[in-house]
Amino acid sequence: MLKSLRLNWLQRYSLKNIIPPHDLLRDFVYRRLWLSILISSFGAQITLLALPLTAAVLLYASPTQMGLLTFMEISPYVLLSLPSGVWLDRVRKLPVYIAGEVAISLAVASVPIAWWLGFLDMTWLYVVGFLIGAVNTTAGTAAQIVLTQIVPRDRLVEAHAKNALASSGSEVAGPATAGALIKLLGAPLALFADAFLLLLSATILRKIKIHEVRELAEDANFWRDLKEGLQFVINNKILVALALTVGTWQLAYNAALVVQILFATRILGLSEHAVGLSYVCMGIGTILASIVGSRVSRKLGPGVCMVTGIAICGIGWGLLAIAPNNLFGVLAFALMLMCYAVGGVFIFINFLALRQAVTPEALLGRTTSTMRWLTLIPAGPGALLGGWLGEHFGLRYTLGFSCICALILAGLAWRSPTIRAIKSIPKL
């Protein structure tokens, strides 16, 4: 009897009955990738809070130092993206992705170890931030290419939306868990949890099997191949428009990112745990946007959907810039995080799908790295400018600057014939 009940329960709640027939999660390989993303994203939420809180609360970092910390995390993309793209087109991507998860785990774990030994200071955080950025420059690009090796190109928007949904689940539970861990253990020790989850993610990825064909020409030349990747991007008007749009958004986003933790802890007086609870709203926003993102993209077109996301981000930063220093200010902080999440999903599920859809297989590594390089060049100056504005004029001025930049960008992108003309994902 019990055996029969158990069998009926398993049949009723099997994947065949829970997941729709044509859903990507029916695919075993994609399902493992999705699970890995879910786990590593959960750990990333801990680092997202614990690292800047360690700097702001434990090490009493100034806005300029917070800007420099963000700059150190971004600078490897500018320095290493182009050569790493050439290299990635010559090697298998999945092993690079797995090695990156392990390397970041070790870098993150070094923070609590340094704190325990009494060595932790801002210089140590700068080095850790640079190492994480350097690994992500290569391994992050490899991860994006691995997705194209698993998912058909005409389903990339759906895949990116599902990946965002995996991240959003982590963004709902992760910040509250991170806040609780930080309150219980302190910000540095909470980073051990992220290190463990990254190792778990790497273990799951090791079970994925991908047949990857690499055809390296006998006359392959590093500098010529690097130039070929650059020329492909420059000669594609869609990629150029995407790079200009997302690059300008990165400037505004990183300026706001530098000061938002400082605003929450020093202007609104939130504790580390309260900051974690506020970040739950970011996860809720990501879930909402991930659920409707594909439909909005199909209805409005990928270009207009991106423009909408940029405007939503700008509105969120503007609300926080004028928020009062009371309960309404706390609500405005949570709403800003939700606006950023919704806007970010609308921007990137379309940006990533468009970039991958117009790129031939042989150029994926170089194109991905070139686009990351171009879009992140403005990010470092944005972080430094945000810290400088925050220190010399006040944190609200930085948020106001980000708001104005995003809204102007949305207006210009709306008027761009290239962006507005993108009504669907193009095919090669």
Side-chain angles (χ1 to χ4, degrees):
M1 179 67 176
L2 289 175
K3 185 177 180 180
S4 176
L5 287 172
R6 183 184 176 190
L7 182 62
N8 289 336
W9 187 89
L10 290 173
Q11 290 176 341
R12 183 175 181 180
Y13 294 102
S14 67
L15 288 175
K16 184 165 65 174
N17 293 325
I18 295 174
I19 301 175
H22 301 293
D23 197 286
L24 274 175
L25 287 172
R26 287 270 187 156
D27 183 87
F28 173 78
V29 177
Y30 175 73
R31 195 162 61 244
R32 290 196 74 91
L33 176 65
W34 188 87
L35 181 61
S36 169
I37 292 170
L38 177 67
I39 292 171
S40 62
S41 296
F42 192 91
Q45 292 304 310
I46 297 173
T47 299
L48 178 69
L49 285 176
L51 202 61
L53 282 172
T54 298
V57 178
L58 189 65
L59 301 178
Y60 305 103
S62 67
T64 299
Q65 288 177 314
M66 295 293 283
L68 185 56
L69 177 60
T70 302
F71 176 82
M72 293 299 291
E73 294 170 355
I74 295 167
S75 56
Y77 291 95
V78 178
L79 297 172
L80 305 175
S81 283
L82 293 179
S84 72
V86 178
W87 177 68
L88 279 172
D89 279 334
R90 304 175 180 210
V91 300
R92 292 176 59 222
K93 283 69 172 179
L94 184 59
V96 176
Y97 182 13
I98 295 170
E101 297 282 88
V102 175
I104 294 175
S105 173
L106 296 175
V108 167
S110 76
V111 175
I113 293 173
W115 176 74
W116 183 61
L117 294 175
F119 296 151
L120 187 62
D121 58 11
M122 285 303 299
T123 300
W124 191 283
L125 291 188
Y126 295 151
V127 172
V128 169
F130 185 88
L131 289 175
I132 291 174
V135 174
N136 273 328
T137 300
T138 301
T141 300
Q144 293 178 11
I145 299 171
V146 165
L147 182 66
T148 67
Q149 296 171 336
I150 294 173
V151 177
R153 294 193 178 210
D154 60 351
R155 303 190 72 179
L156 282 172
V157 170
E158 178 188 352
H160 285 300
K162 287 189 180 299
N163 291 353
L165 188 60
S167 300
S168 64
S170 304
E171 288 173 3
V172 171
T177 304
L181 284 172
I182 291 168
K183 184 177 181 179
L184 180 66
L185 304 173
L189 289 177
L191 290 166
F192 272 132
D194 183 23
F196 169 76
L197 290 170
L198 284 166
L199 290 177
L200 181 58
S201 170
T203 302
I204 292 171
L205 289 171
R206 287 190 61 195
K207 302 294 183 180
I208 291 178
K209 304 297 181 184
I210 296 176
H211 177 66
E212 181 177 355
V213 179
R214 301 187 313 282
E215 297 181 1
L216 184 63
E218 293 182 1
D219 61 343
N221 178 275
F222 179 87
W223 294 109
R224 188 190 64 214
D225 290 348
L226 187 150
K227 183 180 178 181
E228 183 182 1
L230 274 171
Q231 287 180 332
F232 176 77
V233 171
I234 293 170
N235 293 330
N236 188 301
K237 65 178 183 179
I238 290 179
L239 293 179
V240 170
L242 291 175
L244 289 171
T245 302
V246 176
T248 307
W249 179 85
Q250 286 282 4
L251 184 147
Y253 162 65
N254 280 279
L257 179 66
V258 164
V259 302
Q260 65 188 35
I261 290 289
L262 294 177
F263 191 94
T265 55
R266 297 180 185 178
I267 303 297
L268 300 177
L270 296 180
S271 66
E272 294 95 322
H273 185 53
V275 171
L277 291 175
S278 297
Y279 267 75
V280 171
C281 292
M282 187 167 72
I284 295 171
T286 306
I287 286 179
L288 294 174
S290 301
I291 291 172
V292 304
S294 294
R295 281 176 285 177
V296 173
S297 180
R298 286 194 298 269
K299 185 175 180 62
L300 300 180
V304 176
C305 187
M306 284 182 60
V307 173
T308 304
I310 293 168
I312 291 172
C313 289
I315 291 169
W317 293 324
L319 286 174
L320 188 59
I322 61 174
N325 184 13
N326 54 28
L327 177 61
F328 291 105
V330 176
L331 294 175
F333 178 67
L335 184 59
M336 180 277 295
L337 293 171
M338 182 179 290
C339 286
Y340 157 69
V342 172
V345 170
F346 280 8
I347 293 167
F348 281 98
I349 64 172
N350 293 286
F351 168 72
L352 295 174
L354 287 167
R355 186 190 70 199
Q356 292 165 343
V358 301
T359 305
E361 179 76 25
L363 285 167
L364 272 172
R366 282 166 284 175
T367 301
T368 301
S369 295
T370 300
M371 289 295 287
R372 295 182 89 186
W373 178 66
L374 290 172
T375 57
L376 286 171
I377 283 176
L384 294 176
L385 179 59
W388 183 84
L389 285 172
E391 185 154 338
H392 291 86
F393 296 94
L395 305 180
R396 295 182 187 274
Y397 281 85
T398 301
L399 293 165
F401 165 79
S402 295
C403 166
I404 293 170
C405 278
L407 295 180
I408 291 175
L409 173 63
L412 293 175
W414 173 261
R415 294 176 61 85
S416 166
T418 302
I419 296 293
R420 289 188 66 180
I422 304 174
K423 301 298 183 183
S424 61
I425 299 298
K427 295 182 179 180
L428 286 174

